[in-house]
Amino acid sequence: MLRTYGPFALRRTGQAIIVVLLAYLFTFAVISVLPGDPITTTLRNPDNGFTEDDIARIVAFYGLDQPWWVQLGSSLGRFVVGDLGVSLRSNLPVATLMLDALGSTLALAAAALAVAVVLAVAIAYGTQFVPARFGQGVLRSLPSLFLSVPNFVIGLLLIHVFAFGLGLFGMIDTETAWGTCFAAVALGIPVSAQLAEVLISSLDHESRQEYVAVARSRGLRSGALFLRHLAKPSALPSVTVLALIVGELLGGALITEAIFGRVGVGTLVQSAVAGQDLPVLQAVVSLAAVVFVVVNLTADLAYPLLDPRVSIASRGRTRATPPVGPASPLREEVSVV
């Protein structure tokens, strides 16, 4: 497997780099056809305080007076070496603006991801081991309910109850631990629905396998059965969904920041769109593409490591092979229990 895994990882990494570059090119093309002139709109705006010398340096740096293909070449060259440029509004390095705003957004997205994973695993576990008379059917309907309620509705309800009603956090300073917690709950609940649905479906499939019946007949407890035999084979499709919802987390984080009044990448995007700050917009979209591609690349590379039944095809794709011989879960279960 190691002999084929190396080339497979290199191919996947190369494809990920191409996707990031294409996303940057697409962003540049979309922004270039937007109406308006950034030089007139931003640089010559008296409120921004740029002098003619400042304007001349910025125009020369970005080649704003050059044809679009010249601007594209210079912009792409700077992006490849990690130079995100200078903001047309604040005259500050875009990297500095991104770092200042990124911390709050990443904290919110990470907390929301943790909420989504914990909630999805708890629901999926309950659908397998909670008796029907104690609400198993309710647990199975929760993902559909979560998916049908937008995160801004959940956020407004949480603000009404816990901010205005109970006073656990204030809307003036929402960067506190309580503020981040409730913002993460508002963002994580809808995201958990997709993950819970896939987990429930995978666990239902695995629970019908013979090795599970053998384990149950040997008196294996529910927690040990879930952790030792059901969780790992059910993790592969869940990893796929987990990688895909990263984009939803990033997009939802911008909306949640606006609802809870948090300062982050969403605020930066709003000001950049309003002022046609092209370097900032390109940096934000490129960052989102990099995060999304890296997470999906990590999930793709983890497939063969998570499940030995997954083999690497000759063309760089992964394919699942049925467990046969000594690697069969039934044989392993009979020998272990």
Side-chain angles (χ1 to χ4, degrees):
M1 176 179 175
L2 294 177
R3 185 179 60 182
T4 56
Y5 187 81
F8 165 75
L10 289 177
R11 281 192 296 270
R12 281 289 186 259
T13 304
Q15 293 170 1
I17 294 174
I18 294 174
V19 170
V20 172
L21 293 178
L22 290 177
Y24 188 85
L25 295 177
F26 179 76
T27 306
F28 182 90
V30 170
I31 293 176
S32 298
V33 301
L34 290 177
D37 179 11
I39 299 178
T40 303
T41 304
T42 303
L43 300 183
R44 299 195 183 279
N45 189 340
D47 295 335
N48 294 328
F50 289 111
T51 65
E52 289 298 327
D53 292 336
D54 294 334
I55 294 175
R57 285 196 300 270
I58 294 175
V59 169
F61 180 80
Y62 287 109
L64 298 177
D65 55 346
Q66 300 293 325
W68 66 268
W69 56 86
V70 177
Q71 299 182 38
L72 174 60
S74 59
S75 178
L76 186 59
R78 290 192 300 269
F79 175 73
V80 170
V81 298
D83 184 3
L84 301 179
V86 180
S87 170
L88 299 182
R89 286 181 58 87
S90 61
N91 202 23
L92 294 174
V94 175
T96 302
L97 297 176
M98 291 290 295
L99 289 176
D100 292 340
L102 195 58
S104 176
T105 301
L106 288 181
L108 175 60
L113 182 61
V115 170
V117 171
V118 171
L119 191 58
V121 171
I123 293 174
Y125 180 87
T127 59
Q128 302 301 315
F129 302 108
V130 171
R133 64 180 182 274
F134 292 141
Q136 185 184 105
V138 175
L139 289 175
R140 289 184 176 273
S141 63
L142 283 181
S144 300
L145 176 62
F146 291 166
L147 195 60
S148 63
V149 181
N151 63 338
F152 69 86
V153 174
I154 300 175
L156 292 176
L157 289 175
L158 292 176
I159 291 173
H160 178 73
V161 174
F162 294 99
F164 298 148
L166 300 179
L168 292 182
F169 67 97
M171 294 304 296
I172 296 178
D173 184 13
T174 56
E175 302 290 338
T176 61
W178 278 115
T180 302
C181 176
F182 287 111
V185 170
L187 178 58
I189 286 178
V191 172
S192 68
Q194 305 172 45
L195 185 59
E197 287 282 5
V198 174
L199 271 175
I200 292 171
S201 177
S202 300
L203 288 172
D204 287 343
H205 173 74
E206 294 297 329
S207 297
R208 293 190 293 266
Q209 303 303 311
E210 295 181 358
Y211 73 93
V212 176
V214 173
R216 291 182 188 275
S217 66
R218 298 295 180 89
L220 197 64
R221 294 185 177 181
S222 300
L225 177 64
F226 179 78
L227 293 175
R228 291 172 54 184
H229 303 289
L230 292 178
K232 188 174 180 180
S234 302
L236 193 60
S238 303
V239 169
T240 304
V241 176
L242 195 63
L244 293 176
I245 64 177
V246 169
E248 185 175 346
L249 276 175
L250 293 176
L254 305 185
I255 300 175
T256 307
E257 285 175 352
I259 296 171
F260 282 82
R262 298 171 61 90
V263 178
V265 177
T267 308
L268 189 63
V269 170
Q270 289 178 358
S271 61
V273 171
Q276 288 190 330
D277 200 342
L278 308 187
V280 174
L281 287 176
Q282 288 177 332
V284 170
V285 175
S286 301
L287 175 65
V290 168
V291 172
F292 187 79
V293 168
V294 167
V295 172
N296 281 271
L297 174 64
T298 303
D300 203 4
L301 296 180
Y303 291 160
L305 305 179
L306 285 173
D307 194 341
R309 293 174 293 181
V310 175
S311 62
I312 302 173
S314 59
R315 293 185 180 181
R317 296 188 296 269
T318 57
R319 65 172 184 263
T321 56
V324 294
S328 172
L330 178 57
R331 294 175 180 267
E332 179 183 358
E333 176 61 34
V334 172
S335 63
V336 171
V337 177

